[in-house]
Amino acid sequence: MPAAVHLLGVLAALWLGGCRPPAAPPVLGDVPPFRLIERNGQPYGSQQLEGQVWVADFIFTTCPDICPALTAQMQRLDTMLAPDERPRRVSITVDPGHDTPEVLRRYAEHHGVGPNWDFLTGERRTIAALLMDGFHVAFADDGPPNQPITHSDRLVLVDPALRIRGYYHGRLDEDLERLVRDVRAVRAEAAASPAGTGTGGQPG
């Protein structure tokens, strides 16, 4: 009988462990304060994202391949998460000289983006510093005429305290699934501890 009781205890522990929500990913850095312009022409700053779970990506409207793919993956989050789970999405142009608010508005309309999704532009130096020193992602716009802009294909998860919690290859389905799990975990963490104390860690 003691062996049977022990077995039941082990099975119960395994069942309870399987029901626990996944641990939230570590803190990899902080998004610095920034001020850009949304596609509606209005100023848009980092303070408007405080208190929200959000996902950023980096695109430009004349990009022929990777940027439409990133936009499509950002759209897929709507199909993979319940309405109350969906993060805010923020797309930042890497070609601000061309991508004015009006151009970004047309791009968003063309792709049929849903609500809770912002498209940002601004001064080139501000965006370059934000990407390289804030998000720690690649950016260069001095390449050859056939490929003048190099930029990251990562999606970046940010928590309500403006801390980076994960980087995800934007074109890999398995990374999108990992992003979905991490969005849920960060939401659960924020609900349990609104102030968010952080867990430390370094980018991978």
Side-chain angles (χ1 to χ4, degrees):
M1 183 65 68
V5 171
H6 174 72
L7 178 59
L8 287 173
V10 171
L11 292 173
L14 289 172
W15 183 82
L16 288 172
C19 290
R20 291 195 191 102
V27 174
L28 304 178
D30 297 292
V31 176
F34 65 85
R35 189 173 179 83
L36 295 171
I37 300 171
E38 216 276 324
R39 69 183 185 275
N40 60 15
Q42 297 301 309
Y44 187 107
S46 50
Q47 71 275 8
Q48 291 171 257
L49 293 163
E50 292 177 358
Q52 302 183 66
V53 177
W54 52 288
V55 177
D57 74 345
F58 315 99
I59 64 165
F60 61 105
T61 61
T62 57
C63 174
D65 43 29
I66 181 175
C67 300
L70 292 177
T71 299
Q73 290 290 71
M74 293 274 268
Q75 288 175 308
R76 285 187 62 198
L77 291 175
D78 280 353
T79 69
M80 300 172 75
L81 289 161
D84 61 345
E85 294 179 317
R86 294 170 188 162
R88 192 169 195 87
R89 284 152 294 177
V90 179
S91 293
I92 301 173
T93 181
V94 295
D95 188 13
H98 176 271
D99 290 343
T100 63
E102 174 62 21
V103 170
L104 289 175
R105 184 185 65 79
R106 291 199 303 267
Y107 178 88
E109 290 178 352
H110 173 75
H111 288 277
V113 305
N116 204 33
W117 192 340
D118 304 308
F119 286 77
L120 307 183
T121 188
E123 293 187 1
R124 186 262 178 203
R125 63 181 180 179
T126 300
I127 289 174
L130 177 61
L131 268 59
M132 293 188 290
D133 301 329
F135 285 101
H136 302 289
V137 296
F139 169 67
D141 57 1
D142 55 356
N146 63 329
Q147 194 173 6
I149 298 176
T150 299
H151 67 98
S152 175
D153 70 346
R154 298 300 190 268
L155 308 180
V156 184
L157 174 62
V158 186
D159 71 16
L162 300 181
R163 301 173 305 184
I164 296 170
R165 304 303 291 270
Y167 294 88
Y168 311 84
H169 289 273
R171 291 181 286 184
L172 295 181
D173 288 344
E174 55 266 36
D175 266 31
L176 193 66
E177 292 169 0
R178 181 166 62 91
L179 172 58
V180 166
R181 291 193 298 270
D182 287 350
V183 165
R184 288 174 171 146
V186 169
R187 281 195 177 281
E189 175 191 76
S193 178
T197 56
T199 57
Q202 295 296 324

